[in-house]
Amino acid sequence: MPDAAFPTTAMAAMPAILIAEDETAIAETVLYALRSEGFTADHVLLGGEVVPRVRAGGVDLVVLDVGLPDITGFEVCRALRAFSEVPVIFLTARDGEIDRVVGLELGADDYVVKPFSPRELVARVRARLRRRTQAEAASWQSHGAFEIDRDGKRIRYRGRALDLTRYEYGVLEVLMLRPGAVLSRTQLMDRVWADALESSDRTVDTHIKTLRAKLRALDERGDGHEDGRDDPIRTHRGLGYSLEVGNG
Ligand code: CA
């Protein structure tokens, strides 16, 4: 079976699995099993190829043979963990490798002992990806029509992702955490521009303006027409701004 490169954006929704395994017969069995279950799967023969591939992006999970010809799967996993949380499932031989996988706390998520059934491996891959999806969902908090992931510094409005600059994110986060509360420009500057050398009332107003435009753009795109929804950011003359989060 020829190795296909990961497809680009068109199939981005399919989880992409990278397999590092020097035994071609095993790799091809795994590739076939994953692809027939709808996964995107690609294969490398050497441990040294894994880190560059993960760094390049688009890898959702790594299936990693422990006994690779250049560097061990353990070393690969350690190198991955220095910069990535990508789930790793080890393929181990029976002779002593299992103890090392279990004992070393390398940050691997699971392991499968050779010989294994491809179906079992696919089930483990699926289970691991599901856990990650749940963890991802857990990091989002809802505030009416807004959702915020404070770890990932991301905000969604009416279910759609807002593409925000750092300061726009900061302003919206501060307002969202106290819905309805009126915050003065000085309060917003203190919280959002704490590390900036220079900021002014105008700085706050400028960012409120661009935020409003982005919120409005999402409303218009989503509904196909302007439906006269109120601007969720309210101006309180002489006092400051507040956010009406509305109903989710
Ligand atoms: Ca091997």
Side-chain angles (χ1 to χ4, degrees), residues 122-156:
V122 170
R124 300 286 185 90
V125 166
R126 211 186 281 288
R128 190 58 197 81
L129 290 172
R130 198 161 46 230
R131 278 212 301 282
R132 194 167 69 146
T133 309
Q134 283 163 354
E136 160 100 344
S139 67
W140 288 92
Q141 287 175 5
S142 290
H143 299 269
F146 291 88
E147 293 163 276
I148 184 166
D149 167 17
R150 296 179 76 187
D151 295 332
K153 304 235 177 286
R154 296 176 294 178
I155 293 175
R156 293 184 197 140

Side-chain angles (χ1 to χ4, degrees), residues 90-109:
F90 275 130
L91 300 179
T92 82
R94 221 163 256 291
D95 52 359
E97 284 181 1
I98 306 167
D99 296 342
R100 291 194 63 203
V101 170
V102 176
L104 275 178
E105 294 179 18
L106 277 165
D109 298 279

